[in-house]
Amino acid sequence: MCLEAMARAWPRVRNARIGTTLTDPDIDFATVAKGFGVYAEDRSGSQRSGPALARAVAIVEAGNRPWST
C-alpha cells in the first residue's frame, strides 16, 4: 500500500505493483499448506470459510498436528 500511495503522489511512478505482488498465477495456499503437512481445503469446495475453519479446528483438537510437541 505504501508503494501505491507513493505512485499516486509521484505521477511519474507507474505500475507500482510490478515486482511487489504475488499474482499471475495466484498462489494456491491450500496446496502449499498441504505440502507442509497441514490440513487445508481449497476455495472451490465452499465459499464460506466458517465450516472449513470448524473442520480444521476439530482436526487440530483431535491431536493431528504437523509439528511435534
Side-chain angles (χ1 to χ4, degrees):
M1 292 187 311
C2 178
L3 291 175
E4 290 175 7
M6 289 177 58
R8 283 191 299 274
W10 297 92
R12 67 178 184 266
V13 178
R14 296 188 180 126
N15 301 324
R17 292 181 179 252
I18 293 176
T20 62
T21 58
L22 300 172
T23 59
D24 196 23
D26 290 332
I27 296 173
D28 183 353
F29 288 106
T31 301
V32 173
K34 290 174 186 177
F36 283 102
V38 179
Y39 173 78
E41 296 182 17
D42 62 6
R43 292 184 291 174
S44 64
S46 172
Q47 296 299 325
R48 300 176 55 97
S49 60
L53 182 59
R55 288 188 291 273
V57 168
I59 287 171
V60 171
E61 287 177 345
N64 297 322
R65 296 181 171 96
W67 61 87
S68 58
T69 56

